[in-house]
Amino acid sequence: MDNSTLPAVAEELLREIRRAFQEASHDTFSSRLKFIFGPSAVPALDLVDQRSVTRVRSPSGRTLYQVLGSSGKLYTCYSSCHFCTCPAFGFSVLQKSESLLCKHILAVYLSQALGACQELSVSEEQLANILLAEEEDEG
């Protein structure tokens, strides 16, 4: 799939997810997600249910997401470029191309669609520190 079309595809999926969630039972909704997203669906729904997704926004409008993973580690996700800092994303999505996304990115998309994001406003300096901390963790 061409990466330039991914945001448009993701937006359409979010609209469909919102409609499906409103119209279907929880079991039907879960089975549809499992069919589309495979094994990432249930863990992603668990993260959304636990309110583990936080949208971090600076005064300039820059946005990133932080997802508290099931292991207790905080991962940074960028829905605008479809990227997560978790090892599974690096391995399954980038290296092996076995999956389109990890459970953290899916949790971000689901929380957006379902209106289940925590919100955190930070200064530009605080946002820069979050990004620098991620770089140090990877280095």
Side-chain angles (χ1 to χ4, degrees):
M1 179 180 296
D2 179 6
N3 281 341
S4 64
T5 61
L6 190 57
V9 170
E11 284 298 318
E12 181 58 30
L13 275 173
L14 289 175
R15 282 191 287 278
E16 289 296 320
I17 288 167
R18 191 176 297 118
R19 275 195 295 273
F21 183 75
Q22 291 168 346
E23 295 169 3
S25 71
H26 187 70
D27 289 339
T28 304
F29 180 68
S30 296
S31 63
R32 288 179 184 174
L33 283 176
K34 282 188 250 180
F35 178 76
I36 295 169
F37 296 108
S40 297
V42 172
L45 278 173
D46 288 342
L47 291 171
V48 173
D49 286 344
Q50 295 165 13
R51 310 259 317 153
S52 297
V53 179
T54 301
R55 181 185 0 236
V56 180
R57 189 175 293 191
S58 71
S60 66
R62 290 183 180 93
T63 302
L64 59 84
Y65 293 84
Q66 291 190 311
V67 180
L68 183 61
S70 53
S71 67
K73 181 157 173 38
L74 197 60
Y75 298 105
T76 301
C77 299
Y78 307 91
S79 64
S80 61
C81 62
H82 186 71
F83 182 81
C84 180
T85 58
C86 77
F89 186 86
F91 185 73
S92 297
V93 177
L94 297 178
Q95 286 182 351
K96 294 263 188 184
S97 297
E98 293 175 344
S99 180
L100 287 174
L101 40 74
C102 64
K103 67 181 179 182
H104 308 108
I105 288 281
L106 181 54
V108 166
Y109 290 144
L110 291 172
S111 66
Q112 287 174 332
L114 303 175
C117 277
Q118 306 279 1
E119 298 286 336
L120 178 64
S121 295
V122 298
S123 68
E124 299 297 333
E125 184 178 347
Q126 289 169 315
L127 187 69
N129 287 337
I130 291 170
L131 296 173
L132 288 173
E134 282 300 328
E135 248 181 50
E136 288 173 7
D137 285 350
E138 292 172 6

